[in-house]
Amino acid sequence: MEEICVVTTVVDERSAAGGLADAAVAARLAACAQLGGQVDSTYWWQQRVETNSEWSVQFKTAPDRVGALVEQIRANHPYDVPEILVNRVESNPDYAAWIHEQTRP
């Protein structure tokens, strides 16, 4: 098994999710990005509990591209405090090699 990284965020509009996904793949910061259907999120914001619908975006990238990907997401994210989660996961070697190849500038 080989290590890859899965970076996840959520946004309030599908178009924003698509824009983040397109930009990351076009810049070769992610080999692919998947948009998840709407989810209902409940959280504390500005001293009260909020519930809103959000779209999730999951990016697959190589470990050495995580920092640049996170910075691009942060710079283009519509939220003041974006959720950006990074998970290092094991993948089959062929898929990990494809991820690595597709994230080369």
Side-chain angles (χ1 to χ4, degrees):
M1 299 300 275
E2 300 287 330
E3 184 178 86
I4 65 167
C5 292
V6 179
V7 178
T8 306
T9 193
V10 292
V11 293
D12 59 353
E13 294 183 12
R14 189 185 192 293
S15 61
L20 290 174
D22 291 346
V25 173
R28 292 188 142 344
L29 297 175
C32 65
Q34 297 170 314
L35 277 60
Q38 281 184 295
V39 297
D40 290 330
S41 298
T42 301
Y43 51 91
W44 279 100
W45 183 248
Q46 298 180 344
Q47 308 298 326
R48 66 177 195 247
V49 175
E50 297 275 340
T51 299
N52 288 297
S53 293
E54 295 180 301
W55 293 85
S56 64
V57 188
Q58 199 175 71
F59 305 87
K60 310 302 186 344
T61 194
D64 66 332
R65 301 296 277 159
V66 168
L69 175 58
V70 167
E71 285 306 312
Q72 184 186 58
I73 294 168
R74 186 177 291 139
N76 295 293
H77 205 286
Y79 290 2
D80 293 338
V81 182
E83 170 188 305
I84 302 172
L85 306 175
V86 178
N87 293 296
R88 295 181 185 280
V89 299
E90 296 294 319
S91 169
N92 70 66
D94 293 338
Y95 186 69
W98 179 79
I99 294 285
H100 183 80
E101 289 169 13
Q102 301 311 310
T103 55
R104 299 304 98 188

